[in-house]
Amino acid sequence: MYYAIILFGFAVNPCCYYPCQNSGVCVRFGNDHYQCDCTRTGFYGDNCTVPEFRTRIRLLLKPNPSFAQYLLTHFQWFWDLLNNSFLRDTVMRLVLTSRSSLIPSPPTHNTKYGYLSWESYYNTSYYTLLLPPVPEDCPLLMGTKGKQTLPDPKVLAERFFKRKKFRPDPQGTNLMFAFMAQHFTHQFFKSNHEVKAGFTKAFGHGVDASNIYGDTLERQHQLRLHKDGKLKYQLVHGEVFPPTVSEAPVYMKHNRVCDILRAEHPTWDDEQLFQTTRLIIIGEIIKIIIEDYVQHLSGYFLKLKFDPTLLFNERFQYSNRIALEFGQLYHWHPLMPDSFIIDGEEVTYSQFIYNTSLLTHHGVEKLVDSFSRQAAGQIGGGHNSHEVVLKVAEMTIKESREARIQPFNEYRKKFNLKPYTSFYEFTDDPEMAKGLEELYGDIDALEFYPGLMLEKTRPNAIFGESMVEMGAPFSLKGLLGNPLCSPEYWKPSTFGGETGFHIVKSATLQNLVCHNSKWYPYVHFRVSKKEQEMNPRKQSTEL
Ligand code: HEM
Ligand SMILES: *[C@@H]1O[C@H](CO)[C@@H](O)[C@H](O)[C@H]1NC(C)=O
Ligand SMILES: *[C@@H]1O[C@H](CO)[C@@H](O)[C@H](O)[C@H]1NC(C)=O
Ligand SMILES: *[C@@H]1O[C@H](CO)[C@@H](O)[C@H](O)[C@H]1NC(C)=O
Ligand SMILES: *[C@@H]1O[C@H](CO)[C@@H](O)[C@H](O)[C@H]1NC(C)=O
């Protein structure tokens, strides 16, 4: 550590060098000493770098993520064959366990506690942090690497995030997907900006449908009709709409399910009808998110399956805590187009945002149809954030600094990916590599969010390797860690009997929309082949 004294002129906290590899825990002793706790990492040595024999074998056999991704997104004939066999269950189980095992459960750190503490376990006003925050006493905000000061977030946004020309997602993602992403994730990403970075207002820490039922008991009661288990509603031109404004149209029609339950359980009171319906709605959401939403996003030919019983013989904790890193990672604003095409008419951002008359004027069917036909932007690769949302990228970077989130490369390691050795390996865009190198000075100082968003995308994919390898574990752990998926809950009685259980098990995006609309719009998470070919041209002539 004398090296540190020469370089920085004072004794540096040795944990600022992130010496412990393979998830070893850095503990500071004395002034300039540290120890790595390598317990159960499968490695030993001062820095947890020497693999145990068993680890050596495991590493030899483990396919690297890009190879696994390649297999899952190619050889359609093979996956079609697998579709109906028990092998599908085996592969699905493997996907679930290998992904969710990367998320510590119970949760560990938060913005205040870089070591384990009862407070960080118990106080759910915090988001958890997967990696401890960069220690306060490090010489630099990223630890010890990079320049004296980090690049101006505004400069980063303008130079690397700002859209030049709309780039549609090559996977064909549409606006229906984009608004589902926003609507779905805002039930658990609800940063409490009144405090400071790292606090949440969504105490459910997962899929609790608080975006429908409110995030407090008080709010829930304001939204409830207190009759037949139902929520309040309003009639516009004889159609049922939610009572309050909401950014995205709300399709999750709780009241329809109440009627079905009430027919079978005439003795149930308002409370039981309400509560049981809520569980059914939560189950439906998880089902649709895995089998329609994640299915689309993954690009896998493996047909994903929502079946909690797959994990009943595995070691798996039915609990979840939302991580700040997950919230950062999900700022997918490049999805947003240049303008919205609704019923063939162009609608600008100023006409669109907060305009609830769009929903009542066009009706939910027309909006679903229009959103399903319009291409969303590619998330990864940079230069694809519309001006209107550019400020959000800036705010995300500021939040990450306030929360002292560790560098991108440390997260690469945490998720079993090789750290990048240069900006030129990180991106194929030489101009971007050069610019980032000038601004950050060192690839090990590159921040988490810019790392995820600017990384070279996988061929024909919506984003790069890191977004998938880091996002999928958080996502699957959150979905399957729901109490509904536990052996105690996952049975017909929880949902009021076989009818309710069947509603959950048969939920699809198409069903959801069809059960709640007068006519059947085109509804998908991707634009049709035809639209996909048409859209880029349409977009460019508009510009
Ligand atoms: C019209 C489109 C949109 C606008 C104007 C918009 C705007 C914003 C704004 C102003 C914030 C707050 C930023 C901050 O204070 O730090 C935010 C947060 C966020 N947005 Fe968007 N957004 C849009 C669409 C989307 C979409 C399609 C997604 C898809 C995933 C998304 C995901 C998020 C997430 C995850 C957050 C963080 C929420 C939190 O932690 O509280 N947004 N957005
Ligand atoms: C452990 O890491 C420190 C700091 O990165 C380094 O100086 C030291 O040489 C490493 N020790 C071993 C045994 O690899
Ligand atoms: C997979 O199997 C399901 C029924 O188990 C069937 O509905 C579906 O069409 C099959 N998909 C493919 C791609 O073969
Ligand atoms: C959680 O921590 C914050 C910040 O220290 C504190 O203001 C809040 O009261 C704590 N919440 C609970 C429930 O203890
Ligand atoms: C909101 O949408 C309605 C219906 O499309 C439109 O007539 C109105 O002009 C929009 N409002 C604003 C403020 O642009």
Side-chain angles (χ1 to χ4, degrees):
M1 289 302 136
Y2 292 111
Y3 165 72
I5 298 174
I6 294 163
L7 202 60
F8 295 109
F10 53 88
V12 167
N13 175 352
C15 293
C16 296
Y17 291 94
Y18 314 117
C20 310
Q21 308 302 308
N22 301 302
S23 296
V25 178
C26 187
V27 184
R28 189 177 188 181
F29 283 85
N31 204 24
D32 56 359
H33 292 283
Y34 72 94
Q35 272 177 24
C36 295
D37 183 348
C38 312
T39 308
R40 285 184 289 279
T41 59
F43 292 81
Y44 61 96
D46 284 356
N47 297 332
C48 315
T49 47
V50 192
E52 290 163 5
F53 180 69
R54 277 193 353 200
T55 309
R56 228 178 266 277
I57 305 286
R58 188 173 55 81
L59 291 179
L60 267 175
L61 296 177
K62 208 179 113 215
N64 82 36
S66 290
F67 182 63
Q69 179 80 14
Y70 186 83
L71 291 182
L72 284 158
T73 53
H74 292 77
F75 312 108
Q76 184 169 10
W77 59 270
F78 170 78
W79 296 109
D80 281 355
L81 223 74
L82 196 83
N83 180 28
N84 289 307
S85 74
F86 82 101
L87 266 173
R88 177 183 170 206
D89 285 4
T90 310
V91 179
M92 188 66 209
R93 188 183 295 113
L94 197 69
V95 169
L96 292 174
T97 51
S98 64
R99 294 291 193 193
S100 50
S101 68
L102 291 167
I103 305 301
S105 183
T108 50
H109 316 287
N110 65 28
T111 45
K112 185 168 175 193
Y113 298 95
Y115 47 91
L116 295 192
S117 70
W118 188 257
E119 182 62 16
S120 72
Y121 167 71
Y122 182 75
N123 190 332
T124 52
S125 313
Y126 289 91
Y127 289 115
T128 186
L129 270 182
L130 195 73
L131 287 182
V134 176
E136 296 274 357
D137 55 2
C138 292
L140 299 175
L141 190 48
M142 288 293 109
T144 60
K145 300 283 185 68
K147 305 228 159 156
Q148 269 310 313
T149 54
L150 286 170
D152 181 351
K154 198 176 174 64
V155 171
L156 287 172
E158 291 285 336
R159 279 185 64 180
F160 308 115
F161 284 76
K162 189 172 171 176
R163 176 169 293 159
K164 290 178 172 166
K165 178 173 177 299
F166 176 79
R167 211 166 63 237
D169 167 38
Q171 285 179 229
T173 300
N174 60 24
L175 293 189
M176 189 64 200
F177 179 93
F179 289 128
M180 182 62 121
Q182 186 182 26
H183 184 253
F184 170 72
T185 60
H186 280 48
Q187 72 190 292
F188 45 78
F189 298 140
K190 265 198 166 172
S191 299
N192 187 348
H193 294 291
E194 283 134 56
V195 200
K196 52 184 170 191
F199 287 88
T200 178
K201 290 192 274 193
F203 302 120
H205 283 275
V207 186
D208 59 357
S210 60
N211 49 350
I212 299 170
Y213 301 108
D215 56 11
T216 61
L217 188 57
E218 192 194 358
R219 185 85 187 110
Q220 183 201 111
H221 282 295
Q222 289 167 351
L223 291 166
R224 281 171 63 174
L225 190 62
H226 294 114
K227 186 171 179 295
D228 301 338
K230 290 187 176 176
L231 292 173
K232 288 179 187 162
Y233 58 89
Q234 57 175 321
L235 289 174
V236 182
H237 320 305
E239 285 185 53
V240 179
F241 286 99
T244 44
V245 296
S246 137
E247 256 175 60
V250 178
Y251 323 100
M252 317 287 181
K253 281 292 159 69
H254 171 93
N255 289 0
R256 188 191 73 91
V257 177
C258 287
D259 285 334
I260 296 173
L261 276 187
R262 194 165 62 104
E264 287 196 357
H265 305 283
T267 63
W268 283 13
D269 63 3
D270 166 68
E271 187 67 18
Q272 191 166 4
L273 288 169
F274 170 81
Q275 297 294 350
T276 306
T277 301
R278 183 173 183 168
L279 292 185
I280 294 175
I281 299 297
I282 293 173
E284 284 195 72
I285 295 170
I286 299 176
K287 164 90 175 171
I288 290 170
I289 291 297
I290 292 181
E291 293 195 5
D292 291 310
Y293 175 100
V294 178
Q295 181 78 61
H296 163 73
L297 197 60
S298 69
Y300 288 178
F301 284 125
L302 164 70
K303 206 163 170 297
L304 299 183
K305 189 176 181 187
F306 171 50
D307 180 1
T309 66
L310 290 175
L311 292 180
F312 285 179
N313 293 317
E314 304 293 318
R315 199 183 59 177
F316 182 80
Q317 303 287 332
Y318 292 98
S319 74
N320 190 52
R321 190 75 59 87
I322 296 297
L324 183 60
E325 295 101 331
F326 190 28
Q328 284 257 320
L329 164 166
Y330 233 113
H331 283 73
W332 289 352
H333 296 87
L335 286 170
M336 288 292 99
D338 289 338
S339 62
F340 304 86
I341 314 291
I342 299 174
D343 207 1
E345 303 269 314
E346 181 169 1
V347 179
T348 63
Y349 274 90
S350 60
Q351 294 168 328
F352 185 83
I353 295 178
Y354 298 123
N355 187 351
T356 50
S357 336
L358 282 170
L359 177 60
T360 42
H361 177 78
H362 294 283
V364 75
E365 296 86 350
K366 197 88 234 175
L367 288 190
V368 165
D369 195 271
S370 301
F371 292 159
S372 297
R373 289 178 198 279
Q374 187 176 353
Q378 186 181 32
I379 296 171
H383 298 306
N384 207 19
S385 291
H386 189 273
E387 281 219 64
V388 167
V389 288
L390 199 56
K391 203 97 206 139
V392 186
E394 238 182 279
M395 289 191 281
T396 313
I397 295 168
K398 284 186 185 144
E399 178 190 63
S400 119
R401 292 181 188 177
E402 207 186 311
R404 308 188 66 87
I405 292 180
Q406 286 195 23
F408 179 60
N409 260 345
E410 289 304 312
Y411 281 94
R412 295 265 308 166
K413 290 194 262 174
K414 180 71 188 173
F415 284 94
N416 300 327
L417 302 168
K418 279 210 214 57
Y420 283 113
T421 52
S422 79
F423 286 100
Y424 294 87
E425 187 194 5
F426 164 77
T427 167
D428 292 333
D429 174 349
E431 206 177 312
M432 185 184 289
K434 187 160 167 286
L436 286 171
E437 187 162 50
E438 270 166 29
L439 291 169
Y440 279 105
D442 191 323
I443 185 75
D444 287 334
L446 176 62
E447 292 169 278
F448 181 69
Y449 183 64
L452 284 159
M453 298 296 285
L454 305 178
E455 180 183 35
K456 60 183 179 241
T457 56
R458 277 173 166 159
N460 296 314
I462 188 163
F463 34 48
E465 174 187 61
S466 303
M467 189 74 87
V468 177
E469 299 301 316
M470 300 181 194
F474 285 122
S475 163
L476 293 176
K477 169 68 182 169
L479 292 162
L480 271 299
N482 196 288
L484 274 194
C485 302
S486 69
E488 200 55 42
Y489 280 55
W490 187 248
K491 50 178 86 164
S493 52
T494 306
F495 307 97
E498 285 295 350
T499 306
F501 204 19
H502 178 75
I503 294 177
V504 172
K505 290 199 282 192
S506 62
T508 62
L509 177 66
Q510 275 79 20
N511 270 343
L512 177 71
V513 171
C514 291
H515 285 154
N516 296 291
S517 52
K518 276 189 313 202
W519 53 275
Y520 299 163
Y522 173 70
V523 50
H524 262 286
F525 284 142
R526 57 181 306 152
V527 290
S528 67
K529 279 272 172 326
K530 194 184 93 214
E531 237 100 15
Q532 200 172 357
E533 282 154 19
M534 249 169 56
N535 241 307
R537 255 181 289 143
K538 204 162 109 192
Q539 284 284 350
S540 59
T541 50
E542 269 158 16
L543 278 173

